[in-house]
Amino acid sequence: MIIIPARIGSSRFPNKVLADIGGIPMVIRTAMAVQDIDAVCIATDAQEVIDIADQYDIKAVMTSEMHQSGTDRIYEAAQKLGLDENEIIINVQGDEPFIETAVVQAIYDLTAKNREDEAIMMNSCYKCISNPEADDPNIVKVVTDTDDIALYFSRAKIPYPRDHHFDDYKGHLGIYGFTMHSLKMFCNLKDSALEHIEKLEQLRALHHGYKVAMIEVETESFGIDTPEDLERAVKHHRL
């Protein structure tokens, strides 16, 4: 199942999940983009989102206002949906209205491949980004080992090019694959200082010694974090 966390009270951009893109709310457009892969459910903390999802015949589940991360929110939704321990759950952020089917499918396939590996708690992806893009703190960077296992995620520019020019930056896409079992394990872990400092929930898994498996993808999609991003998204939709 694909579960989309949709918190109405974003600190950086309140109500952004309902922002209009071509006459359709952002979170609904995101759900529509991935509904051909698997069943889709929106996990929200707002009745307004529930009502709008119902208008588009998209399943939605009410969750607590107290969750600190999207992954904690989708776990509550998965529990309410009664999902099996071996069920694959893909967390697609509600601000990815242009996400391609191939990208989400790649995460699904990676999660299925790693399903029996207890050391791998999460599965995700990255795309190659330019040196100037890596300067943007809204674009999360990841460094990986030779097996594409994440070493660290940061809003800072990593690796830092101390002595020479460097162009091989990896921009992380906030899409995660779990089994219901690994999702439960993640949400039962104590949150970490790094997670709060960087505002990156995946650092919780690394802090506790678990692995995050990565895969490179090609995508033109972009997350919408600011009103400026929304303007870009509206222009992108018109093309």
Side-chain angles (χ1 to χ4, degrees):
M1 170 162 276
I2 297 168
I3 304 181
I4 302 172
R7 182 168 68 94
I8 201 79
S10 170
S11 58
R12 288 184 293 176
F13 190 173
N15 296 322
K16 76 170 182 176
V17 295
L18 295 179
D20 185 285
I21 300 176
I24 298 175
M26 184 193 306
V27 68
I28 301 299
R29 192 170 285 280
T30 302
M32 289 176 167
V34 299
Q35 63 185 357
D36 289 340
I37 301 172
D38 203 345
V40 175
C41 179
I42 296 171
T44 185
D45 60 353
Q47 186 62 44
E48 184 178 3
V49 175
I50 297 279
D51 295 340
I52 290 172
D54 186 59
Q55 292 173 25
Y56 287 89
D57 199 27
I58 294 172
K59 189 174 185 62
V61 172
M62 183 68 77
T63 56
S64 170
E65 297 178 356
M66 305 305 293
H67 292 305
Q68 296 299 307
S69 75
T71 303
D72 295 312
R73 187 174 305 284
I74 70 164
Y75 178 52
E76 181 186 350
Q79 288 177 299
K80 288 187 172 182
L81 293 167
L83 299 185
D84 183 81
E85 284 277 297
N86 291 318
E87 181 85 26
I88 289 177
I89 300 167
I90 307 297
N91 177 353
V92 175
Q93 304 302 309
D95 61 1
E96 288 276 359
F98 307 116
I99 194 65
E100 299 92 345
T101 298
V103 171
V104 180
Q105 187 67 53
I107 301 296
Y108 184 96
D109 293 343
L110 183 65
T111 306
K113 173 187 171 186
N114 294 327
R115 193 194 303 241
E116 302 302 324
D117 191 335
E118 288 281 334
I120 296 176
M121 179 167 279
M122 308 169 76
N123 301 267
S124 193
C125 62
Y126 64 85
K127 64 178 180 179
C128 294
I129 60 173
S130 68
N131 196 323
E133 285 178 304
D135 288 318
D136 185 349
N138 288 318
I139 298 177
V140 176
K141 277 68 65 177
V142 59
V143 289
T144 61
D145 68 11
T146 55
D147 295 318
D148 254 357
I149 300 296
L151 296 173
Y152 192 65
F153 299 85
S154 183
R155 297 185 183 279
K157 196 171 189 177
I158 56 171
Y160 179 76
R162 178 182 170 185
D163 294 323
H164 61 279
H165 187 76
F166 183 77
D167 278 320
D168 297 326
Y169 289 98
K170 297 174 179 177
H172 178 231
L173 279 66
I175 305 169
Y176 303 104
F178 298 89
T179 62
M180 182 61 174
H181 175 67
S182 66
L183 178 60
K184 178 180 179 180
M185 288 175 61
F186 176 86
C187 292
N188 284 326
L189 293 175
K190 181 178 173 56
D191 52 359
S192 71
L194 288 175
E195 173 184 0
H196 292 293
I197 291 168
E198 294 261 21
K199 299 302 183 205
L200 298 174
E201 60 191 319
Q202 63 270 36
L203 292 176
R204 188 189 310 179
L206 297 187
H207 174 81
H208 288 280
Y210 290 95
K211 296 179 180 179
V212 180
M214 305 294 295
I215 189 170
E216 182 179 352
V217 297
E218 293 185 6
T219 177
E220 298 298 321
S221 179
F222 55 92
I224 299 171
D225 294 306
T226 66
E228 292 74 25
D229 291 336
L230 179 60
E231 290 180 17
R232 179 183 168 201
V234 171
K235 290 177 182 177
H236 181 85
H237 171 71
R238 290 172 180 164
L239 294 178

